[in-house]
Amino acid sequence: MKGTPFEKKALENINLEIDNGEFVALIGHTGSGKSTLVQHLNGLLKIEEGEISVAGMQTKGKDLKELRKKVGIVFQYPEHQLFEETVYKDIEFGLLKQGLEESERHRKICETAAILELDNALLEKSPYELSGGQKRRAAIAGILVLEPDILVLDEPAAGLDPAGTRELFDIVTALYKEKNITVILVSHSMELVADYASRIIVMNKGRIHSDGKPSEIFMQGRELEKIGLGVPEITELMSLLKKYRPDIRQDIFSVDQALQEILKQLGVKQ
Amino acid sequence: MIRNITLGQYLPGKSIIHRADPRTKIIVTMLFMIVLFIIDSIWALLGALIFVATAYWISKISIKFAIKGIKPILFIILFTVVINMFMTEGNTIVNLGFAQITDQGLLRAAIVSLRVFMLITSASVMTYTTTPIMLTDGLEKLLKPLKKLKVPVHEMAMMMTIALRFIPTLIDETDKIMKAQAARGADIGTGNLLERAKSFIPILIPLFVSSFRKADDLAIAMEARCYRGSKGRTSMRVLKYGKIDVAILLSFCIICSGILLIHYLI
């Protein structure tokens, strides 16, 4: 929309380096530019200034196919992209585009389906007959089957119930550990980010607000609230408990850690 | 990926034309179109052109947008120009052997192309300065008398409002689905005709499915708010005729009679 009253700069002054094998979370308020940022990673959006290099390739280049093989993006509500007659065929779509052999395709699909716990009966169903959580997993399978080195997940848990969310994240973490891929997670849920990511990048109004380990990020609680984010509920609880126990640890982001700390404070031995 | 749809696009602004009642703008545009078809002298058409240019100037819409709206029908204009240039009898100016361009032909070509150009640009002023919702509101009010003849005016306006309301949503949706499929390695719109047509299937099917789902959701949401058609329904924005509208209508009448006068006198 260049040159119209609707023109808006979505991203500005982004200097970012993500190493191989990192589990990075991008967090930010709605409209902070996090989805825009990740769409640049495989050339779906083209930059107007600056440069991006992913896996040694420039995203400005002409040959985006190779780049898109390396970077798999799972969009928000990925189930909206399902279109084939059966789940199997839908997962196969990307592989067909890569021109792989039948046997090779079959092997990869079975492997991916096993990771995402999609059984054979399910693979033969129409994607529109599945439940919400199943649809989500089927759609993610369509990306994972391409075996990307860099997996980008844009709000993968939106609209899933807590159990479904856990399930999905356990799968992603297992995959991350097993295949040593890079995972970039876009989210605004602090709890999820705290539990899984090893590095957090906070976005605000198209700029990087802060970048660091979860402990570093969540220590600036007030700062985060100012830009419409918060700290995980459990961290909030710990800061409230500080009133009564001044020496209670503040760098706590999961319920387990909190439990240990409170037990310690109470002098209970396990 | 697909953001260059300009026809029927609203450009926010605060000019007099932006603030005028949609009914005024609809009436003025309609009347102007009729006038355009009545007049066929080049001087009257040039007068009308000044009127259109003034409208663009007052509404502070850049000429770029006027030209953008012309693009889709540029071919039609060129076609009529060529046909008229060669097919009208008169004094020959250029002789190509098999055909000749005449002075009368050039004049006709200019008249016809000016007329088509102004038909589009004048309608564009209306759509650029009025939100689609306001337009349908105005149309509904204007067509109200037809209700006596059992024409479902309100329902038609509602359908139009909903259709217009969902254009941006569907564009967004298409954009998203295109990106999602491109991320899976789909290449859209490449290869031969058959391949190209096939490449749209992964986009169209999800789009249809989501449209049906959206329609269903909307129907339920409307019923949940007790929507039952036009009976006893009031409007949030009550259209009011103000001084601006009277002024616009009056000056339009004067300009029109001026243009018609030129047409009849010359």
Side-chain angles (χ1 to χ4, degrees):
Chain A
M1 291 305 246
K2 237 188 159 174
T4 69
F6 303 110
E7 186 180 353
K8 200 184 147 220
K9 217 168 200 171
L11 293 173
E12 219 177 342
N13 202 9
I14 303 278
N15 270 310
L16 187 59
E17 210 167 294
I18 295 173
D19 287 329
N20 275 341
E22 269 193 293
F23 196 131
V24 184
L26 264 177
I27 56 175
H29 204 247
T30 317
S32 59
K34 43 194 196 321
S35 295
T36 313
L37 180 63
V38 293
Q39 285 180 30
H40 280 95
L41 296 179
N42 68 354
L44 283 173
L45 290 175
K46 299 273 161 68
I47 35 172
E48 287 175 355
E49 286 166 50
E51 68 179 73
I52 306 175
S53 153
V54 178
M57 283 177 276
Q58 293 286 322
T59 60
K60 271 186 203 165
K62 283 261 181 282
D63 190 29
L64 292 170
K65 272 216 148 159
E66 204 49 43
L67 180 68
R68 287 181 185 162
K69 252 188 227 172
K70 300 256 185 203
V71 185
I73 298 190
V74 178
F75 281 93
Q76 216 167 345
Y77 297 105
E79 56 271 28
H80 290 179
Q81 78 196 26
L82 298 168
F83 72 98
E84 277 285 8
E85 290 156 57
T86 66
V87 175
Y88 184 92
K89 278 190 183 171
D90 202 275
I91 300 175
E92 202 178 21
F93 178 73
L95 295 176
L96 277 172
K97 291 287 166 191
Q98 290 188 358
L100 292 182
E101 293 283 315
E102 161 85 58
S103 58
E104 183 79 359
R105 293 203 302 264
H106 186 72
R107 187 183 62 75
K108 283 191 177 183
I109 293 168
C110 290
E111 227 179 86
T112 315
I115 295 173
L116 288 162
E117 291 159 21
L118 299 162
D119 55 46
N120 283 334
L122 224 146
L123 287 179
E124 291 312 316
K125 276 192 185 173
S126 155
Y128 296 110
E129 288 171 31
L130 308 186
S131 75
Q134 288 169 333
K135 268 189 200 170
R136 178 74 49 101
R137 275 183 281 140
I140 294 176
I143 306 285
L144 283 185
V145 79
L146 304 173
E147 297 175 338
D149 296 336
I150 302 164
L151 181 63
V152 181
L153 298 151
D154 192 349
E155 297 280 6
L160 287 185
D161 57 20
T165 308
R166 285 278 145 199
E167 220 175 29
L168 183 60
F169 273 85
D170 288 340
I171 291 170
V172 172
T173 327
L175 205 72
Y176 166 69
K177 285 188 179 138
E178 210 175 288
K179 299 207 167 163
N180 200 28
I181 53 173
T182 311
V183 178
I184 300 172
L185 170 68
V186 178
S187 179
H188 58 235
S189 157
M190 290 299 161
E191 279 73 25
L192 278 177
V193 163
D195 279 0
Y196 293 98
S198 57
R199 175 179 167 197
I200 296 178
I201 298 163
V202 183
M203 301 270 302
N204 185 35
K205 292 182 182 151
R207 291 162 186 271
I208 291 176
H209 176 273
S210 47
D211 179 352
K213 286 199 187 108
S215 53
E216 292 162 21
I217 298 291
F218 292 133
M219 287 321 277
Q220 32 162 320
R222 296 287 147 243
E223 275 290 304
L224 289 179
E225 272 171 26
K226 253 189 239 163
I227 59 168
L229 295 167
V231 293
E233 278 164 14
I234 200 74
T235 313
E236 188 81 43
L237 175 73
M238 296 315 268
S239 78
L240 288 174
L241 285 177
K242 197 176 181 174
K243 256 191 237 164
Y244 308 101
R245 298 268 177 168
D247 57 336
I248 202 163
R249 272 175 58 197
Q250 293 293 300
D251 54 341
I252 279 171
F253 322 109
S254 73
V255 179
D256 281 343
Q257 284 176 325
L259 181 67
Q260 298 297 328
E261 179 64 19
I262 292 171
L263 286 177
K264 207 174 89 188
Q265 285 284 329
L266 294 174
V268 180
K269 293 241 168 66
Q270 279 183 306
Chain B
M1 287 185 182
I2 38 161
R3 291 289 159 117
N4 32 19
I5 298 174
T6 57
L7 203 76
Q9 191 184 58
Y10 171 66
L11 296 168
K14 286 198 174 80
S15 72
I16 295 176
I17 300 184
H18 279 90
R19 278 178 289 147
D21 190 292
R23 282 171 292 181
T24 316
K25 287 186 261 190
I26 294 171
I27 293 170
V28 166
T29 315
M30 296 278 256
L31 288 179
F32 185 66
M33 285 181 174
I34 296 170
V35 170
L36 278 180
F37 277 107
I38 294 173
I39 54 180
D40 58 359
S41 95
I42 187 81
W43 298 112
L45 276 163
L46 284 175
L49 187 64
I50 293 171
F51 170 70
V52 174
T54 319
Y56 270 87
W57 180 68
I58 293 175
S59 60
K60 294 206 177 68
I61 292 167
S62 101
I63 291 297
K64 259 196 297 186
F65 283 102
I67 291 162
K68 241 184 181 173
I70 286 293
K71 263 188 197 157
I73 56 142
L74 199 64
F75 175 74
I76 300 174
I77 294 185
L78 283 177
F79 187 72
T80 45
V81 163
V82 172
I83 291 285
N84 275 297
M85 237 161 35
F86 290 109
M87 296 302 180
T88 317
E89 284 179 15
N91 306 320
T92 306
I93 298 174
V94 183
N95 201 334
L96 295 173
F98 58 91
Q100 49 266 68
I101 299 173
T102 61
D103 57 348
Q104 289 299 311
L106 275 181
L107 196 64
R108 277 242 61 84
I111 288 171
V112 172
S113 55
L114 258 180
R115 186 178 287 154
V116 178
F117 175 81
M118 278 191 283
L119 278 176
I120 299 294
T121 43
S122 63
S124 300
V125 178
M126 180 174 76
T127 51
Y128 281 144
T129 59
T130 325
T131 58
I133 302 289
M134 289 293 265
L135 267 184
T136 44
D137 257 17
L139 213 58
E140 185 184 349
K141 291 272 144 53
L142 278 176
L143 295 178
K144 223 175 180 176
L146 288 179
K147 245 186 198 166
K148 294 257 162 24
L149 302 171
K150 305 248 186 236
V151 178
V153 174
H154 168 78
E155 281 72 15
M156 277 157 61
M158 182 55 93
M159 270 161 61
M160 232 168 103
T161 312
I162 291 173
L164 288 168
R165 154 71 185 75
F166 275 95
I167 290 174
T169 313
L170 286 182
I171 291 177
D172 272 1
E173 191 83 19
T174 315
D175 199 50
K176 254 195 234 155
I177 295 170
M178 273 170 93
K179 277 178 180 163
Q181 305 297 24
R184 289 210 274 172
D187 26 25
I188 297 131
T190 53
N192 62 34
L193 202 63
L194 190 69
E195 279 169 11
R196 231 184 281 181
K198 261 188 175 169
S199 74
F200 280 102
I201 295 174
I203 295 162
L204 288 178
I205 292 178
L207 196 62
F208 277 139
V209 172
S210 87
S211 305
F212 280 120
R213 194 182 41 229
K214 284 204 172 86
D216 205 34
D217 286 351
L218 183 69
I220 290 171
M222 283 168 81
E223 286 204 335
R225 290 167 200 186
C226 305
Y227 177 79
R228 338 185 36 184
S230 64
K231 230 176 200 170
R233 196 175 157 78
T234 53
S235 182
M236 191 176 92
R237 295 169 304 268
V238 180
L239 297 177
K240 263 193 207 139
Y241 245 79
K243 276 181 196 153
I244 301 177
D245 301 293
V246 178
I248 288 181
L249 272 180
L250 273 179
S251 44
F252 174 71
C253 285
I254 296 168
I255 292 166
C256 266
S257 18
I259 293 171
L260 286 174
L261 217 62
I262 299 175
H263 164 68
Y264 285 117
L265 291 182
I266 301 176

Short mmCIF file of all heavy atoms in Angstrom, two decimals, chain B residues 24-47:
data_model
loop_
_atom_site.label_atom_id
_atom_site.label_comp_id
_atom_site.label_asym_id
_atom_site.label_seq_id
_atom_site.Cartn_x
_atom_site.Cartn_y
_atom_site.Cartn_z
N THR B 24 -26.99 12.51 -1.57
CA THR B 24 -26.61 13.60 -2.47
C THR B 24 -25.65 13.10 -3.52
O THR B 24 -25.80 13.36 -4.71
CB THR B 24 -25.92 14.72 -1.67
OG1 THR B 24 -26.65 14.92 -0.49
CG2 THR B 24 -25.81 15.98 -2.47
N LYS B 25 -24.64 12.35 -3.05
CA LYS B 25 -23.61 11.91 -3.96
C LYS B 25 -24.17 10.93 -5.00
O LYS B 25 -23.81 10.98 -6.17
CB LYS B 25 -22.46 11.28 -3.17
CG LYS B 25 -21.64 12.32 -2.44
CD LYS B 25 -20.44 11.73 -1.78
CE LYS B 25 -20.73 11.51 -0.30
NZ LYS B 25 -19.51 11.15 0.45
N ILE B 26 -25.07 10.06 -4.55
CA ILE B 26 -25.66 9.10 -5.50
C ILE B 26 -26.47 9.85 -6.56
O ILE B 26 -26.33 9.62 -7.76
CB ILE B 26 -26.54 8.07 -4.77
CG1 ILE B 26 -25.68 7.19 -3.85
CG2 ILE B 26 -27.28 7.19 -5.78
CD1 ILE B 26 -26.48 6.30 -2.93
N ILE B 27 -27.30 10.80 -6.09
CA ILE B 27 -28.15 11.54 -7.03
C ILE B 27 -27.29 12.32 -8.01
O ILE B 27 -27.50 12.27 -9.23
CB ILE B 27 -29.10 12.51 -6.27
CG1 ILE B 27 -30.11 11.70 -5.45
CG2 ILE B 27 -29.81 13.44 -7.23
CD1 ILE B 27 -30.93 12.52 -4.49
N VAL B 28 -26.29 13.03 -7.47
CA VAL B 28 -25.44 13.84 -8.34
C VAL B 28 -24.74 12.96 -9.38
O VAL B 28 -24.72 13.28 -10.57
CB VAL B 28 -24.40 14.63 -7.49
CG1 VAL B 28 -23.30 15.20 -8.38
CG2 VAL B 28 -25.09 15.74 -6.73
N THR B 29 -24.21 11.82 -8.92
CA THR B 29 -23.50 10.94 -9.85
C THR B 29 -24.43 10.42 -10.94
O THR B 29 -24.08 10.42 -12.13
CB THR B 29 -22.87 9.76 -9.09
OG1 THR B 29 -22.23 10.25 -7.93
CG2 THR B 29 -21.86 9.02 -9.94
N MET B 30 -25.63 10.01 -10.52
CA MET B 30 -26.59 9.48 -11.50
C MET B 30 -26.96 10.54 -12.53
O MET B 30 -26.94 10.29 -13.74
CB MET B 30 -27.88 9.03 -10.79
CG MET B 30 -27.64 7.89 -9.84
SD MET B 30 -27.61 6.32 -10.69
CE MET B 30 -29.21 5.72 -10.23
N LEU B 31 -27.31 11.74 -12.01
CA LEU B 31 -27.71 12.81 -12.92
C LEU B 31 -26.57 13.18 -13.87
O LEU B 31 -26.78 13.39 -15.06
CB LEU B 31 -28.16 14.05 -12.13
CG LEU B 31 -29.50 13.93 -11.43
CD1 LEU B 31 -29.82 15.20 -10.65
CD2 LEU B 31 -30.61 13.63 -12.42
N PHE B 32 -25.38 13.21 -13.30
CA PHE B 32 -24.22 13.58 -14.12
C PHE B 32 -24.03 12.57 -15.26
O PHE B 32 -23.71 12.94 -16.39
CB PHE B 32 -22.97 13.66 -13.26
CG PHE B 32 -21.76 14.15 -13.99
CD1 PHE B 32 -21.70 15.44 -14.47
CD2 PHE B 32 -20.68 13.31 -14.23
CE1 PHE B 32 -20.60 15.90 -15.17
CE2 PHE B 32 -19.57 13.76 -14.93
CZ PHE B 32 -19.53 15.06 -15.39
N MET B 33 -24.27 11.29 -14.94
CA MET B 33 -24.13 10.26 -15.97
C MET B 33 -25.16 10.47 -17.09
O MET B 33 -24.85 10.31 -18.27
CB MET B 33 -24.29 8.88 -15.37
CG MET B 33 -23.06 8.46 -14.58
SD MET B 33 -23.24 6.83 -13.91
CE MET B 33 -21.59 6.60 -13.25
N ILE B 34 -26.37 10.81 -16.67
CA ILE B 34 -27.41 11.08 -17.68
C ILE B 34 -26.99 12.24 -18.56
O ILE B 34 -27.08 12.17 -19.79
CB ILE B 34 -28.78 11.34 -17.01
CG1 ILE B 34 -29.23 10.08 -16.26
CG2 ILE B 34 -29.82 11.80 -18.02
CD1 ILE B 34 -30.42 10.27 -15.37
N VAL B 35 -26.50 13.32 -17.91
CA VAL B 35 -26.06 14.48 -18.66
C VAL B 35 -24.97 14.09 -19.65
O VAL B 35 -24.98 14.51 -20.81
CB VAL B 35 -25.55 15.59 -17.69
CG1 VAL B 35 -24.86 16.71 -18.46
CG2 VAL B 35 -26.71 16.15 -16.88
N LEU B 36 -24.04 13.24 -19.18
CA LEU B 36 -22.95 12.80 -20.05
C LEU B 36 -23.47 12.14 -21.32
O LEU B 36 -22.87 12.26 -22.38
CB LEU B 36 -22.05 11.82 -19.30
CG LEU B 36 -20.99 12.41 -18.38
CD1 LEU B 36 -20.19 11.30 -17.74
CD2 LEU B 36 -20.07 13.34 -19.13
N PHE B 37 -24.60 11.45 -21.19
CA PHE B 37 -25.13 10.77 -22.37
C PHE B 37 -25.94 11.70 -23.26
O PHE B 37 -26.11 11.44 -24.45
CB PHE B 37 -25.96 9.55 -21.97
CG PHE B 37 -25.10 8.36 -21.71
CD1 PHE B 37 -24.88 7.90 -20.43
CD2 PHE B 37 -24.46 7.72 -22.77
CE1 PHE B 37 -24.06 6.81 -20.20
CE2 PHE B 37 -23.64 6.63 -22.56
CZ PHE B 37 -23.43 6.17 -21.26
N ILE B 38 -26.46 12.78 -22.68
CA ILE B 38 -27.23 13.73 -23.49
C ILE B 38 -26.30 14.55 -24.37
O ILE B 38 -26.51 14.70 -25.57
CB ILE B 38 -28.06 14.69 -22.58
CG1 ILE B 38 -29.13 13.89 -21.84
CG2 ILE B 38 -28.69 15.80 -23.41
CD1 ILE B 38 -29.88 14.71 -20.81
N ILE B 39 -25.23 15.08 -23.73
CA ILE B 39 -24.39 16.00 -24.48
C ILE B 39 -23.50 15.27 -25.46
O ILE B 39 -23.01 14.19 -25.18
CB ILE B 39 -23.51 16.86 -23.53
CG1 ILE B 39 -22.71 15.96 -22.58
CG2 ILE B 39 -24.35 17.84 -22.75
CD1 ILE B 39 -21.82 16.70 -21.64
N ASP B 40 -23.34 15.84 -26.66
CA ASP B 40 -22.39 15.22 -27.58
C ASP B 40 -21.59 16.27 -28.34
O ASP B 40 -21.06 16.01 -29.41
CB ASP B 40 -23.06 14.23 -28.54
CG ASP B 40 -24.15 14.92 -29.35
OD1 ASP B 40 -24.35 16.13 -29.12
OD2 ASP B 40 -24.77 14.25 -30.19
N SER B 41 -21.49 17.48 -27.74
CA SER B 41 -20.57 18.44 -28.35
C SER B 41 -19.30 18.43 -27.52
O SER B 41 -19.34 18.28 -26.29
CB SER B 41 -21.18 19.85 -28.38
OG SER B 41 -20.76 20.59 -27.27
N ILE B 42 -18.18 18.57 -28.18
CA ILE B 42 -16.89 18.47 -27.50
C ILE B 42 -16.74 19.54 -26.44
O ILE B 42 -16.19 19.33 -25.37
CB ILE B 42 -15.74 18.50 -28.52
CG1 ILE B 42 -14.40 18.21 -27.84
CG2 ILE B 42 -15.66 19.82 -29.26
CD1 ILE B 42 -14.12 16.78 -27.60
N TRP B 43 -17.33 20.75 -26.71
CA TRP B 43 -17.19 21.85 -25.74
C TRP B 43 -17.94 21.56 -24.46
O TRP B 43 -17.44 21.80 -23.36
CB TRP B 43 -17.66 23.17 -26.37
CG TRP B 43 -16.81 23.52 -27.56
CD1 TRP B 43 -17.20 23.54 -28.86
CD2 TRP B 43 -15.42 23.83 -27.55
NE1 TRP B 43 -16.16 23.85 -29.68
CE2 TRP B 43 -15.04 24.04 -28.91
CE3 TRP B 43 -14.46 23.97 -26.55
CZ2 TRP B 43 -13.74 24.36 -29.27
CZ3 TRP B 43 -13.18 24.30 -26.93
CH2 TRP B 43 -12.82 24.49 -28.27
N ALA B 44 -19.13 20.98 -24.61
CA ALA B 44 -19.91 20.64 -23.42
C ALA B 44 -19.18 19.56 -22.62
O ALA B 44 -19.13 19.60 -21.38
CB ALA B 44 -21.28 20.15 -23.84
N LEU B 45 -18.58 18.61 -23.33
CA LEU B 45 -17.86 17.54 -22.65
C LEU B 45 -16.64 18.07 -21.91
O LEU B 45 -16.33 17.63 -20.80
CB LEU B 45 -17.44 16.47 -23.65
CG LEU B 45 -18.53 15.44 -23.95
CD1 LEU B 45 -18.22 14.68 -25.23
CD2 LEU B 45 -18.72 14.48 -22.80
N LEU B 46 -15.97 19.07 -22.55
CA LEU B 46 -14.82 19.67 -21.87
C LEU B 46 -15.27 20.40 -20.61
O LEU B 46 -14.59 20.37 -19.58
CB LEU B 46 -14.07 20.60 -22.82
CG LEU B 46 -13.22 19.88 -23.87
CD1 LEU B 46 -12.61 20.88 -24.84
CD2 LEU B 46 -12.13 19.05 -23.21
N GLY B 47 -16.44 21.02 -20.71
CA GLY B 47 -17.01 21.67 -19.52
C GLY B 47 -17.23 20.66 -18.42
O GLY B 47 -16.90 20.89 -17.25
#
